[in-house]
Amino acid sequence: MSTPGRSGLIFDEALLFERSRVDRPGIPLEDPEVPCVDPREVIEPKLVRDDIEGFPELSELDVVRHFTRLSQWNYGIDSGFYPLGSCTMKYNPKLNDLAAQLPGLVDLHPLAPETAIQGTLALAHELEEALAEIAGLDRVTLQPAAGAQAELVGMMMIRAYHRSRGDDQRVRVLIPDTAHGTNPASAALTGMEIAEVKSGADGILHPEQLAPLLDERTSALMLTNPNTLGLFETHAEELAERVHAAGGLVYLDGANMNALMGVAKPGHMGVDVMHFNLHKTFSTPHGGGGPGSGPLAVRNILAPFLPTPVIHREGDRYRLDNEFPYSIGRVHAFFGNAGIYLRALAYIRTLGAAGLTEVTQRAVLNANYLLARLREQYDVPHDRRVMHECVLTDRRQQATGVTTADIAKRLMDYGFHPPTIYFPLVVHGALMIEPTECESLESLDAFIEAMERIANEAATSPELVTGAPRRPKVRRLDEVRAARHPRLRWSAPDAES
Ligand SMILES: *Cc1c(COP(=O)(O)O)cnc(C)c1O
């Protein structure tokens, strides 16, 4: 089968220690023309080693080939389809990297005076305005370094807002069971209490389920929309009306704005504050552990509580304002992760309003195409139109003992990164697939073909699936043991206990 680019690799490679041959030279150095210095004369003698026991001896070519092969095992969006649901592992145009790497931008000293960074402040301000427009809200801060940090900052602002009105008792945050897992964690960090709201059998939140929980202690509803089932919360507006009527505010987890931007504005659905994940929707790779950027957009009622410094425009000059009496304070060194928001601005400017809308349309179309084809062989727990991702389960494969984890492992044999599995928690055995807007029909079809083959294998020869993966050097790891008793040093096989 032709999977795009990945199927030819065999993931096996001896360690350098295992390849070592006694006295094989690495780089032969000629006698230097300058006098040699005994290192013991310049370094504390006990720190100087003449030899490292067991140090591998290899030629330069052995070493270069070893690391080149290892580098090719690194699965990334630039090498293959990466359908990790909720994470938006999409292609990020290289042009935007170049824009963010212009010397005038990257060489700035973070402590440079305002007068010397007018250009960067102008770009930051322009991005704030663009994100406010996309959100349908009034003001934006670029400071939070991730989605989860933005949630924390947003909840701190909401708490500050209630306190400023003497509403100290508003400490209860309502969070649906389909919200992203960071939501309750971030809200709890502010010291507020969390109440879970059950969503309906159709996977979305209904006003009747929320209403009994609303009272004078309600601080906010924290809504992920689209929710983690990939479903649009169709009652968003009415939910917001009810929360507002009870004196609370609405926080939107907008990490997955490639489902909405250019089509629907959260501000028009009653949202008071929301975050973006620039490292998902807006052209920064996601999944490498950072850095990220999670700008926060707010309605004017929350603007006094924005973190400092706030960027002010005065005519054609920009100023960093630290004198904000109600501000929750500083939440990030300097004013955010500039390289990431420069990429985002380049992305927004190159696509324009029509391009951003098309991104959303394609992301949603691709997810619905996958769902329409895969539902023939996989169970769909909430069978309705999805947004940017879809959720399947292993229910139909269970008869032969094949589970979600097996399906994910088998996908590796077919050259694909597995989707997100066992999340969201409200779905048993979930496989959460997000194709993103970038993929061609051919790569979607190749993935579908692999999933269909796996479903057929699960029915006819399940051991192929339960025994996967076969291509990697190590197949199934004892993950618990690896975490509890990690072995971090290599030892020669004969020395193993
Ligand atoms: C990724 C994600 C987050 C968390 O964002 P981080 O930048 O990883 O902290 C929050 N909510 C949703 C819906 C997400 O997809």
Side-chain angles (χ1 to χ4, degrees):
M1 175 177 121
S2 65
T3 55
R6 301 294 299 173
S7 45
L9 290 175
I10 298 297
F11 299 115
D12 197 2
E13 178 75 17
L15 299 175
L16 289 181
F17 296 95
E18 293 162 344
R19 286 175 188 276
S20 173
R21 295 291 173 271
V22 176
D23 288 338
R24 179 162 295 172
I27 305 169
L29 295 175
E30 289 185 23
D31 279 343
E33 289 163 4
V34 292
C36 290
V37 175
D38 180 354
R40 286 170 182 78
E41 286 170 21
V42 284
I43 300 173
E44 226 186 299
K46 72 170 197 280
L47 298 178
V48 176
R49 292 192 282 202
D50 292 312
D51 195 15
I52 303 173
E53 205 195 326
F55 198 70
E57 296 178 73
L58 299 131
S59 73
E60 179 178 335
L61 180 59
D62 289 337
V63 176
V64 167
R65 284 187 176 157
H66 173 75
F67 285 111
T68 303
R69 281 189 296 259
L70 287 186
S71 74
Q72 290 166 344
W73 295 12
N74 200 3
Y75 195 101
I77 193 64
D78 290 350
S79 53
F81 184 51
Y82 208 133
L84 204 56
S86 198
C87 294
T88 314
M89 304 302 288
K90 71 179 191 180
Y91 179 71
N92 299 295
K94 304 297 175 229
L95 179 66
N96 305 325
D97 291 347
L98 287 178
Q101 283 167 28
L102 292 174
L105 299 171
V106 286
D107 292 347
L108 275 189
H109 193 283
L111 290 174
E114 250 166 53
T115 48
I117 57 169
Q118 286 293 308
T120 298
L121 292 181
L123 295 175
H125 192 263
E126 188 183 332
L127 177 62
E128 287 182 359
E129 291 192 325
L131 293 175
E133 176 71 29
I134 292 169
L137 291 167
D138 304 310
R139 295 290 298 274
V140 168
T141 172
L142 301 177
Q143 286 187 42
Q149 194 195 5
E151 292 163 14
L152 175 65
V153 171
M155 296 323 278
M156 287 168 73
M157 289 173 67
I158 288 175
R159 199 184 48 176
Y161 165 85
H162 288 312
R163 282 190 178 158
S164 76
R165 297 157 48 97
D167 270 348
D168 289 6
Q169 82 290 356
R170 292 198 179 270
V171 292
R172 203 147 183 247
V173 183
L174 308 174
I175 305 183
D177 53 6
T178 53
H180 193 266
T182 49
N183 292 192
S186 309
L189 267 183
T190 63
M192 290 199 269
E193 58 184 79
I194 316 298
E196 188 183 84
V197 196
K198 288 255 171 287
S199 44
D202 51 1
I204 60 171
L205 193 59
H206 293 268
E208 313 82 80
Q209 280 156 308
L210 180 71
L213 298 168
L214 293 168
D215 58 22
E216 68 297 333
R217 299 187 62 231
T218 302
S219 174
L221 168 68
M222 225 177 163
L223 197 63
T224 301
N225 196 8
N227 66 27
T228 55
L229 295 166
L231 303 178
F232 183 69
E233 293 288 355
T234 43
H235 303 294
E237 251 179 287
E238 190 184 340
L239 293 166
E241 275 164 26
R242 298 225 186 182
V243 173
H244 289 150
L249 296 180
V250 178
Y251 184 100
L252 174 83
D253 179 337
N256 303 119
M257 275 303 277
N258 60 340
L260 297 181
M261 70 182 171
V263 176
K265 293 187 180 185
H268 295 178
M269 299 174 217
V271 166
D272 300 297
V273 40
M274 66 165 283
H275 77 261
F276 294 87
N277 272 34
L278 298 189
H279 49 289
K280 286 182 184 164
T281 309
F282 295 94
S283 200
T284 281
H286 174 245
S293 178
L296 198 66
V298 302
R299 214 179 273 293
N300 270 333
I301 49 163
L302 285 168
F305 311 100
L306 283 169
T308 51
V310 172
I311 304 172
H312 279 306
R313 179 179 184 166
E314 286 159 4
D316 56 357
R317 306 298 294 168
Y318 296 87
R319 190 165 61 79
L320 285 173
D321 190 352
N322 283 297
E323 308 295 319
F324 237 59
Y326 296 103
S327 167
I328 58 158
R330 186 179 268 287
V331 300
H332 191 284
F334 308 106
F335 35 93
N337 285 334
I340 296 177
Y341 56 73
L342 293 170
R343 282 178 177 80
L345 182 60
Y347 182 73
I348 291 171
R349 288 281 295 270
T350 45
L351 286 174
L356 293 179
T357 306
E358 198 181 330
V359 163
T360 300
Q361 291 165 339
R362 282 175 183 262
V364 172
L365 180 64
N366 283 354
N368 281 289
Y369 176 71
L370 280 185
L371 181 62
R373 298 261 326 257
L374 291 174
R375 63 206 287 257
E376 318 235 314
Q377 280 169 301
Y378 290 90
D379 168 62
V380 180
H382 302 283
D383 201 358
R384 51 191 288 164
R385 185 76 56 79
V386 295
M387 300 293 282
H388 63 303
E389 63 194 3
C390 60
V391 175
L392 312 173
T393 85
D394 57 3
R395 229 175 91 185
R396 285 163 68 181
Q397 282 68 42
Q398 274 169 10
T400 53
V402 168
T403 65
T404 285
D406 301 323
I407 296 166
K409 304 269 186 212
R410 186 64 175 147
L411 272 170
M412 292 164 68
D413 285 339
Y414 283 111
F416 289 102
H417 193 287
T420 298
I421 56 172
Y422 299 114
F423 182 84
L425 302 175
V426 286
V427 173
H428 187 80
L431 283 144
M432 186 202 216
I433 304 173
E434 178 178 7
T436 83
E437 62 278 9
C438 311
E439 299 299 331
S440 65
L441 185 59
E442 291 76 21
S443 52
L444 296 180
D445 283 342
F447 177 74
I448 291 164
E449 194 187 323
M451 287 291 284
E452 286 171 350
R453 283 184 181 215
I454 294 170
N456 289 337
E457 288 170 355
T460 56
S461 34
E463 66 291 344
L464 275 179
V465 189
T466 52
R470 287 187 171 65
R471 284 170 65 211
K473 180 182 175 102
V474 283
R475 292 169 63 173
R476 296 243 180 166
L477 299 171
D478 182 341
E479 287 157 13
V480 174
R481 196 161 153 243
R484 297 276 156 80
H485 308 286
R487 260 180 58 196
L488 304 174
R489 294 185 81 169
W490 180 78
S491 47
D494 55 353
E496 262 175 51
S497 54

